[in-house]
Amino acid sequence: MYRNDEGDRFQRATGLMIQSLRSGGIYSTSLLQAFASIPRHMFVSEALRYRAYEDTSLPIGFGQTISRPSTIARMLQVCDIRSSSRVLEVGTGSGYQAALLSVLCDRVVTCERIHDLYTRARQVLFQLGLNNVQCVYNDNGGFDTVRGEYDIIVVAAVADATPPSLFELMAPGGVMVVPVHSASGQVLRRYAREESGSIVEEDIGDANFVPLVV
Ligand code: SAH
């Protein structure tokens, strides 16, 4: 897959990325282990591999980006993920976040609206043997293609307002994290559906995502 010296370099870079996540307040051991086990360089183009472990988003073509590791980590840390959680990711992009989720949960559903990205992500996930991820091509803006009930929904693209149809997919006790536009830019919003059905929301920090197309 890559030369040994390159492999060593990627491994060292992964170690540094984990350290930086830890010092940035990511304490979940299972989450840090997931970051340690997924080779982020496999999700970017050959030309950008040398930057794959920087804490930054990177272009993946079609005007889209692979998310920043620390942002993904913040999103996932507030989700209370268990292996039995039914998880939906909106915005497969490169497939990187779906790969992390596949280590944390038994089964992951992820959807993407750009066909070429959907195909490429599927290939990489297959190549890495992560066969518990179901990739769905979501060619219309709605979420009919991923109808179901989920304990965790992670939206990897920014919305003006959270689409009401996504709330309908939340199981009682479920959590959803969505970046939304705010007065100062973008903010990560966490929603929790209580057993009673009511939704509690909380902002958990800033974000920088490409738009959700609905
Ligand atoms: N999670 C990705 C980053 C995704 S970037 C990663 O780890 O690489 C956001 C992605 O959301 C883009 O690829 C964009 O095409 C996709 N997207 C935007 N609106 C969407 C929608 N309504 N349904 C599915 N995917 C959508």
Side-chain angles (χ1 to χ4, degrees):
M1 211 178 307
Y2 42 82
R3 296 195 316 275
N4 272 345
D5 55 338
E6 233 188 350
D8 287 350
R9 195 147 43 79
F10 288 139
Q11 211 148 29
R12 273 198 307 278
T14 306
L16 292 173
M17 179 179 78
I18 306 290
Q19 260 177 35
S20 129
L21 290 174
R22 226 190 237 118
S23 56
I26 303 304
Y27 53 79
S28 159
T29 313
S30 55
L31 191 51
L32 292 167
Q33 274 166 358
F35 274 99
S37 68
I38 298 297
R40 192 171 187 249
H41 65 272
M42 295 290 289
F43 296 85
V44 296
S45 67
E46 197 89 44
L48 284 173
R49 284 191 169 181
Y50 74 103
R51 298 192 58 196
Y53 295 92
E54 290 178 16
D55 189 26
T56 182
S57 56
L58 292 167
I60 54 171
F62 310 93
Q64 310 302 322
T65 54
I66 180 173
S67 309
R68 195 175 164 183
S70 58
T71 306
I72 297 179
R74 274 191 293 132
M75 285 178 95
L76 299 188
Q77 189 161 263
V78 298
C79 282
D80 191 21
I81 299 177
R82 292 146 208 256
S83 54
S84 60
S85 303
R86 294 161 294 174
V87 180
L88 169 67
E89 179 196 31
V90 175
T92 313
S94 68
Y96 180 59
Q97 179 164 261
L100 294 168
L101 285 165
S102 83
V103 178
L104 296 163
C105 312
D106 296 340
R107 200 170 152 268
V108 178
V109 177
T110 180
C111 67
E112 171 57 52
R113 62 174 285 275
I114 297 177
H115 196 266
D116 284 6
L117 290 178
Y118 152 79
T119 312
R120 200 201 290 160
R122 263 181 72 171
Q123 265 166 12
V124 180
L125 293 167
F126 177 77
Q127 210 178 332
L128 293 174
L130 304 174
N131 49 24
N132 59 339
V133 183
Q134 186 193 346
C135 295
V136 177
Y137 173 46
N138 191 38
D139 59 341
N140 70 18
F143 300 102
D144 288 351
T145 51
V146 289
R147 210 176 294 138
E149 195 176 64
Y150 299 93
D151 302 303
I152 294 168
I153 302 176
V154 201
V155 181
V158 66
D160 283 333
T162 307
S165 53
L166 282 178
F167 289 108
E168 288 163 19
L169 305 179
M170 285 177 87
V175 172
M176 172 161 71
V177 184
V178 190
V180 289
H181 287 295
S182 71
S184 56
Q186 293 184 17
V187 68
L188 279 177
R189 190 155 293 159
R190 177 188 192 273
Y191 298 95
R193 183 186 283 282
E194 301 192 323
E195 296 296 335
S196 66
S198 57
I199 305 257
V200 178
E201 64 175 69
E202 181 191 356
D203 287 349
I204 57 157
D206 56 1
N208 184 19
F209 282 87
V210 294
L212 181 74
V213 180
V214 283

